[in-house]
């Protein structure tokens, strides 16, 4: 008598995947994106997308042609030009000379082209740097907290432990870094690198003062760690607000500079760069730059960066005479206008003198794409979905950006891709949502007090409170 075999479940258990894949904290950005797609009518403060108004389809071919013309004028043979654009190119890219000239002009960073690696945006630059610098399970990444989620994600993917250092009102404080270094060493581990965004950080918009920058460089030299400087927003600082990058102050090669063309030039090109000019000495005595050594990691991640993206960025740089700072003056003014509109709308709907009534306050960045708002209720992903669904406005929970807990009652507003009119409407919607959530919170507290006696909310201190 034959029997029908019982089909077996061949599904892969989720827990069989790498810990970073099953970690809920690694899924937050995808959930934000999906929420935006599910509620397309919602005004979105949840992303840091650049301004859309400067894109022109005609410029795509123009910039590529501009770079090809530039190469011909430089005497590059036609066969090589053709091969660079149609075939696999050098692992570290072919527009390093253009990037080096831009860095010298815009940031006072003087490095040779062989100290530059062209990458697939900031994210690959971070992965490559981390993979090259971290060689032992005892190596620890120090990071400002709250921090851009991409750095924690990159470290998690590579099984690199991260120690968060809570920032102060002026960003990462050197003495807090020194204390973290001592604590890591006391545990028998090595503080290998420090990550920060010193100019208009994501998410809090803080700026590290000049003297603190110098002290951080001193600490790196004294303690033997590398600084990973991420600078996507510094180009938009006004002449009055502009501070030298840590890399421009670096005389030893202690800073690995991580840059991106997404905010200032061409987001869709997905192109960034890594600057690693410290010399690496092999057993044979041969010296190469850190960027050249790290090409082995890049070759295993992406083999090489898009030739057409490089040509487009190269054309933009050549067309601007390698002066992106001047070429983006109008764009910088757009972001300043949007920051001012956001601050004004918040003050209108949440008057600071009535804080005791509404319990809402925020920091006041001098530039960048983001600011932080403290609210009197738990601002998690579930609350953000209610906001998008019922009030047609979305934002990002600050708890996503804190490395060691915190930010549960704060949210990040990204204003870079909203017009002033949309910002005003969005903050009006946010005000209605905050009022409704606050009422729900008050009712829940009243019921809890009635049942269990008087209680109080835990004290919450965020980056926004330090700026209030």
């Amino acid at each position: 008598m034959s029997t029908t075999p019982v089909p077996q479940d061949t599904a892969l258990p989720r827990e069989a995947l790498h810990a970073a894949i099953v970690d809920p904290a690694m899924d937050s950005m995808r959930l934000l994106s999906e929420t935006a797609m599910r509620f397309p009518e919602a005004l979105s403060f949840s992303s840091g997308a650049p301004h859309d108004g400067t894109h022109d389809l005609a410029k795509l071919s123009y910039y590529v042609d501009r770079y090809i013309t530039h190469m011909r004028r430089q005497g590059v043979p036609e066969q090589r030009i053709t091969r660079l654009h149609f075939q696999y190119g050098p692992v570290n890219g072919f527009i390093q000379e253009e990037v080096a000239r831009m860095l010298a002009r815009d940031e006072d960073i003087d490095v040779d082209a062989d100290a530059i690696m062209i990458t697939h945006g900031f994210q690959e630059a971070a992965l490559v740097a981390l993979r090259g610098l971290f060689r032992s399970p005892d190596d620890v990444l120090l990071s400002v907290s709250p921090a851009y989620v991409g750095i924690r994600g990159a470290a998690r993917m590579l099984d690199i432990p991260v120690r968060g250092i809570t920032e102060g009102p002026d960003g990462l404080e050197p003495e807090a870094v020194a204390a973290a270094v001592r604590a890591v060493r006391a545990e028998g581990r090595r503080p290998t690198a420090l990550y920060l965004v010193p100019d208009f950080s994501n998410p809090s918009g803080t700026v590290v003062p000049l003297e603190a920058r110098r002290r951080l460089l001193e600490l790196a030299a004294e303690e033997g760690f590398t600084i990973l400087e991420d600078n996507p927003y510094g180009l938009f600082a006004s002449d009055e607000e502009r501070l030298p990058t840590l890399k421009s102050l670096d005389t030893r090669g202690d800073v690995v500079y991580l840059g991106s063309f997404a905010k200032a030039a061409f987001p869709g090109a997905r192109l960034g760069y890594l600057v690693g000019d410290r010399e690496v000495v092999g057993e044979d005595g041969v010296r190469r730059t850190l960027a050249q050594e790290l090409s082995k990691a890049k070759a295993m991640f992406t083999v090489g960066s898009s030739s057409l993206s490089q040509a487009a960025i190269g054309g933009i740089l050549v067309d601007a005479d390698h002066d992106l700072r001047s070429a983006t003056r109008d764009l910088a003014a757009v972001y300043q206008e949007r920051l001012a509109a956001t601050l004004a709308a918040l003050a209108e709907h949440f008057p600071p003198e009535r804080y005791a009534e509404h319990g809402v306050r925020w920091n006041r960045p001098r530039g960048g794409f983001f600011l932080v708002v403290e609210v009197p209720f738990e601002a998690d992903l579930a609350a953000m979905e209610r906001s998008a669904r019922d009030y047609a406005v979305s934002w990002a929970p600050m708890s996503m950006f804190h490395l060691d807990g915190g930010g549960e009652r704060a949210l990040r507003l990204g204003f870079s891709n909203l017009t002033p009119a949309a910002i005003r409407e969005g903050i009006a919607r946010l005000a209605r949502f905050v009022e409704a959530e606050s009422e729900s919170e008050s009712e829940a507290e009243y019921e809890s007090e009635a049942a269990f006696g008087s209680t109080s909310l835990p004290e919450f201190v965020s980056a926004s409170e330090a700026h209030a």
Side-chain angles (χ1 to χ4, degrees), residues 214-440:
R214 290 181 172 141
R215 179 58 185 143
L216 287 171
L217 288 168
E218 290 174 359
L219 279 172
E222 292 166 6
E223 301 290 349
F225 62 80
T226 298
I227 295 176
L228 302 178
E229 181 180 15
D230 180 11
N231 188 27
Y233 313 107
L235 201 65
F236 302 119
S238 65
D239 291 338
E240 297 76 19
E241 296 284 352
R242 181 185 175 190
L243 290 174
T245 62
L246 277 82
K247 187 61 189 171
S248 68
L249 299 171
D250 176 25
T251 59
R252 293 168 31 94
D254 288 328
V255 178
V256 172
Y257 193 70
L258 309 175
S260 171
F261 293 105
K263 304 298 188 289
F266 185 178
R270 302 303 305 142
L271 218 62
Y273 55 91
L274 175 153
V275 178
D277 57 333
R278 169 164 276 177
E279 285 190 327
V280 179
V281 185
E283 293 180 357
D284 56 1
V286 174
R287 294 172 177 266
R288 285 157 43 97
T289 67
L290 179 61
Q292 289 173 318
E293 283 294 315
L294 292 178
S295 66
K296 300 164 190 173
K298 178 175 171 58
M300 292 299 104
F301 284 137
T302 60
V303 182
S305 298
S306 163
S307 297
L308 285 177
S309 290
Q310 289 187 75
I313 294 296
I316 290 172
L317 295 178
V318 170
D319 202 56
D321 196 20
H322 305 88
D323 183 4
L324 270 188
R325 188 175 293 276
S326 295
T328 55
R329 292 288 190 198
D330 291 345
L331 188 56
V334 167
Y335 294 135
Q336 283 293 327
E337 179 187 40
R338 293 176 179 196
L339 171 58
T342 306
L343 292 171
L346 286 169
E348 177 185 350
H349 290 280
F350 305 104
E353 65 274 13
R354 292 169 55 192
Y355 171 74
E357 297 174 34
H358 53 68
V360 176
R361 52 188 168 186
W362 55 93
N363 64 335
R364 298 181 63 86
R366 301 193 299 271
F369 285 22
F370 309 102
L371 58 78
V372 179
V373 180
E374 182 186 345
V375 293
F377 54 86
E378 187 171 354
D380 56 11
L381 283 167
M384 193 277 290
E385 180 168 335
R386 292 194 297 274
S387 179
R389 180 190 64 220
D390 301 334
Y391 295 86
V393 61
S394 65
W395 34 268
M398 273 298 292
S399 57
M400 291 169 41
F401 304 97
H402 284 259
L403 300 182
D404 300 305
E408 291 85 1
R409 291 178 170 243
L411 51 91
R412 186 196 73 176
L413 296 183
F415 48 80
S416 52
N417 200 28
L418 290 171
T419 65
I423 287 169
R424 289 189 289 271
E425 174 59 27
I427 298 299
R429 297 178 186 181
L430 179 66
R432 292 193 288 272
F433 168 72
V434 168
E435 181 181 5
E437 288 289 305
S438 299
E439 289 176 356
S440 297

Side-chain angles (χ1 to χ4, degrees), residues 30-40 42 381 384-385 388-389 394:
R30 181 186 65 82
L31 292 173
L32 285 178
S33 298
E34 288 187 357
T35 301
M37 289 186 287
R38 287 169 55 205
F39 306 105
L381 283 167
M384 193 277 290
E385 180 168 335
R389 180 190 64 220
S394 65

Side-chain angles (χ1 to χ4, degrees), residues 155-240:
R156 188 84 167 96
M157 286 293 181
L158 298 174
D159 292 316
I160 294 171
V162 182
R163 174 70 60 91
I165 306 172
T166 303
E167 66 176 6
D170 293 317
L172 196 57
E173 297 173 340
E175 294 318 305
V177 174
V181 167
R182 291 192 297 268
V184 169
R185 292 199 190 284
E187 297 166 1
R189 300 191 291 172
R190 185 171 79 104
T192 301
L194 169 70
Y195 169 82
L196 76 159
V197 182
D199 293 292
F200 311 126
S201 70
N202 176 8
S204 55
T206 57
V207 176
V208 176
L210 178 58
E211 285 308 310
R213 296 177 190 226
R214 290 181 172 141
R215 179 58 185 143
L216 287 171
L217 288 168
E218 290 174 359
L219 279 172
E222 292 166 6
E223 301 290 349
F225 62 80
T226 298
I227 295 176
L228 302 178
E229 181 180 15
D230 180 11
N231 188 27
Y233 313 107
L235 201 65
F236 302 119
S238 65
D239 291 338
E240 297 76 19

